[in-house]
Amino acid sequence: MRKPVIAGNWKLNGTIAEALALVTELKALLPTNENVDVVVCPPFTALGTVAAATTSSAIQLGGQDIFFRQKGAYTGQISGPMLLDCGCKYVIMGHSERRGRFGVPEPDFTDDVLRVFGDNDTTVNLKLRAALANGLIPICCVGEILSERETGQTDDVVRKQVIAALKDVSPEETATVIFAYEPVWAIGTGKVCAADEADRVCGIIRATVASIAGDAAAHAVRIQYGGSVKPDNAQDLLGRPNIDGALVGGASLKAADFAGIVIAAG
Ligand code: 13P
């Protein structure tokens, strides 16, 4: 049995004081359930404070991104050792808000503020390997944009992203990776992917892992669904055989909603 993992991606939200208030409220609401991994990913600036506030709780900490070098002249970047230093155990990479979608015609590339960070399959692989090399658990996001879904490319896009992410990663390391299937059209839109379809695509991710790293790794790898997960749709999604958890955006900023999703996973 794979242990469900519910992770809250707080994105660009919260001062240190707000992050502390949110995690304090969350601690009070969360059930004690050792059968679910609960992770919060605050902004980098709040990691130290949230780490100090969660030391004696079941809440674990993750970073929202990682740079693939350990140190040096890389202005603005955060490395694996820095994340570890802040108490992180997990780190997200390949989020669609960071992957470049250059060359994608309108209307999908509508927001020139989002998706300008230029992550691509190559850098996502470097980041995933940097996470593993530092002993961090990668949460690697994959998923199609709306036009790819509408033109029947979902399965191919997701397969390609998974294969690229796992380049030069051993089967043993692969077994520790968490994938997050986040259909881009479902993120922050309130349009949740139907549970059957989310489960089907998570099954494709698992089959792709099996083809690269073998059945044992595919069986062990945990796959989250992300995109408009809320307490009222969580149970349906989390009850599916290939969905081992959720990567939660908006609802993770409300302690009661995030706790509700954790309860649905348990
Ligand atoms: P929402 O839950 O706000 O749709 O965001 C999902 C997400 O991007 C998590 O990484």
Side-chain angles (χ1 to χ4, degrees), residues 30 33 44 55 62-63 74 89 93 100-101 114 122 126 136 147 154 177-179 194 200 205 216 244-245 264-265:
L30 275 182
N33 185 349
F44 292 131
T55 38
Y74 304 104
K89 186 174 169 191
M93 73 275 314
R101 290 290 190 180
L114 293 178
T122 303
L126 289 169
L136 290 157
S147 65
T154 297
V177 171
I178 298 170
F179 279 99
R200 189 190 70 78
I205 294 171
D244 307 312

Side-chain angles (χ1 to χ4, degrees), residues 7 9 11 92 95-97 141 182 186-190 226-230 247-252:
N9 177 6
K11 306 189 180 181
I92 297 168
H95 196 285
S96 57
E97 287 152 17
C141 302
E182 296 209 322
I187 295 175
T189 58
S228 299
V229 177
K230 305 277 182 285
L247 185 55
V248 186
S252 72

Side-chain angles (χ1 to χ4, degrees), residues 28 37 48 53 59 64 78 80 84 94-95 104-105 116 127 139 166 179 224 241:
D37 278 325
I59 299 172
Q64 294 181 17
I78 302 284
L84 289 172
H95 196 285
V104 174
V116 293
K127 290 179 177 196
I139 300 178
L166 293 177
F179 279 99
Q224 299 173 312

Side-chain angles (χ1 to χ4, degrees), residues 129-150:
R129 284 161 51 200
L132 290 169
N134 282 289
L136 290 157
I137 299 174
I139 300 178
C140 180
C141 302
V142 298
E144 80 286 0
I145 59 175
L146 185 59
S147 65
E148 291 165 341
R149 170 156 288 268
E150 287 175 343

Side-chain angles (χ1 to χ4, degrees), residues 23 40 42 46-57 59 61 85-88:
V23 80
V40 295
L47 281 172
T49 301
V50 174
T54 51
T55 38
S56 57
S57 84
I59 299 172
L61 204 57
D85 199 28
C86 289
C88 288

